[in-house]
Amino acid sequence: TMASVNILIWLAVKMIVTREELNFVLIDVILNVLTVRTAVGIIPVNIIPLWFVPAVFVMGIYYAILRKLRILPVGIVLGFVSMFFLSGSLPFKLDVALAVLPYFAMGKFAKSFGILTRRVPVMMTIVSSALYAIAATFCDEVYLMEDYFGSSPSLYIFAAVFGIIAISGMAQLLERIEPLKRIFSLFGRRTLFVLGYHIAAGFLVYPIFDFLGDPIEIMERFWYVYWLINMAVVYLLIRLLPEPALTILSGSFLAKRKGNSPEYARGKSRKGKSENCSA
């Protein structure tokens, strides 16, 4: 659903703006979407973020199989090793999924020990933020969607670990600011929608940027303005669109349908009754 809507948005903008970066053959775009090939230059930029969903899906399969076979540590090691030697992008993000597997596994490990629910000390947040900023300064460009982690993947790993700690600490600090808490909570409840349309939202104002000059140059130079426009549009859409529309646009209507199905409801009812009887 998200891919289809993003393709329609690209086609609509393409009809208004005649720019080289918008010129793609429709059938090529569809094939690249179906095989999850989302490299810059072969697919419209508003569709690129959708690579994350199939990558996480494949990574989940890796995790389940490796854990079932009791060789998850081997998969984690292979994931780290792949960051150094397997740059490129296979269809369906098979290589990217392997590279992100270690971080998912670490998250599961941290959750099992209740680490995720603990408060991050302010000093740790500050130190982690500083270390992340220093590491990021020396990192060259990273393209996770292309399984490319720069010239020094070890530096990326270092930055990623401390970045996770820094973001966690900052999130806990932002919780104390009620207006920001409401906004980010809203985004958190609509993660798929934000993921699928955070670039498409800004893409809708592409014709305005085209009127002012070179859209790509403007977006690169004033990226913070472009980011604010994206987030503002996404926020307004989440607030204004009805629940059914958001569900369909997020591609989660099948899950909703299953969750609301009579069979599912009866199953939950039986489970609840059995638990009550046991009690």
Side-chain angles (χ1 to χ4, degrees), residues 61-72 75-76 101:
I61 295 175
Y62 286 165
Y63 181 85
I65 293 175
L66 292 170
R67 189 179 180 190
K68 186 74 173 178
L69 297 175
R70 300 182 183 277
I71 54 172
L72 182 58
I76 293 173
L101 174 64

Side-chain angles (χ1 to χ4, degrees), residues 15-272:
M15 291 175 62
I16 302 172
V17 180
T18 55
R19 286 279 180 178
E20 183 64 29
E21 61 269 16
L22 297 176
N23 289 333
F24 298 96
V25 179
L26 178 59
I27 187 63
D28 291 341
V29 171
I30 294 174
L31 289 175
N32 285 327
V33 168
L34 292 176
T35 56
V36 199
R37 289 191 175 276
T38 54
V40 176
I42 68 170
I43 202 168
V45 293
N46 62 305
I47 305 176
I48 289 177
L50 300 183
W51 69 266
F52 187 80
V53 177
V56 171
F57 176 75
V58 174
M59 182 269 300
I61 295 175
Y62 286 165
Y63 181 85
I65 293 175
L66 292 170
R67 189 179 180 190
K68 186 74 173 178
L69 297 175
R70 300 182 183 277
I71 54 172
L72 182 58
V74 176
I76 293 173
V77 172
L78 288 176
F80 280 125
V81 171
S82 71
M83 296 173 65
F84 291 83
F85 302 106
L86 296 180
S87 60
S89 182
L90 296 174
F92 309 108
K93 300 301 177 187
L94 298 174
D95 47 352
V96 177
L98 181 61
V100 299
L101 174 64
Y103 302 98
F104 180 79
M106 285 190 291
K108 285 282 191 179
F109 179 80
K111 183 179 180 180
S112 65
F113 282 89
I115 297 175
L116 299 181
T117 58
R118 298 177 186 175
R119 303 294 300 182
V120 179
V122 175
M123 184 54 64
M124 183 180 291
T125 300
I126 295 173
V127 172
S128 297
S129 299
L131 291 173
Y132 169 77
I134 294 171
T137 301
F138 292 99
C139 270
D140 51 7
E141 291 185 331
V142 172
Y143 295 99
L144 179 57
M145 63 182 176
E146 293 300 305
D147 202 31
Y148 177 71
F149 299 91
S151 57
S152 178
S154 56
L155 191 60
Y156 171 85
I157 295 171
F158 179 88
V161 171
F162 283 101
I164 291 170
I165 298 172
I167 293 298
S168 299
M170 289 180 185
Q172 292 176 0
L173 293 174
L174 289 174
E175 276 186 329
R176 303 174 185 178
I177 306 174
E178 194 59 34
L180 291 178
K181 180 181 178 180
R182 286 198 299 269
I183 293 173
F184 285 114
S185 295
L186 185 67
F187 284 157
R189 291 193 297 271
R190 292 294 179 183
T191 305
L192 277 178
F193 186 85
V194 175
L195 172 69
Y197 301 104
H198 71 281
I199 289 184
F203 210 59
L204 294 173
V205 298
Y206 199 90
I208 299 176
F209 289 163
D210 181 64
F211 178 77
L212 297 174
D214 185 346
I216 299 298
E217 183 180 341
I218 293 174
M219 286 188 288
E220 289 179 348
R221 186 175 180 182
F222 301 101
W223 62 267
Y224 46 90
V225 176
Y226 180 64
W227 184 85
L228 287 173
I229 291 173
N230 282 343
M231 292 299 101
V233 173
V234 169
Y235 178 78
L236 290 174
L237 288 173
I238 293 175
R239 291 298 302 269
L240 298 177
L241 289 176
E243 176 75 19
L246 288 171
T247 301
I248 293 173
L249 288 172
S250 301
S252 56
F253 55 91
L254 290 176
K256 288 279 187 180
R257 184 177 179 181
K258 179 181 177 182
N260 295 327
S261 66
E263 293 80 5
Y264 183 82
R266 284 196 295 270
K268 288 188 68 176
S269 177
R270 292 193 194 101
K271 183 179 178 182

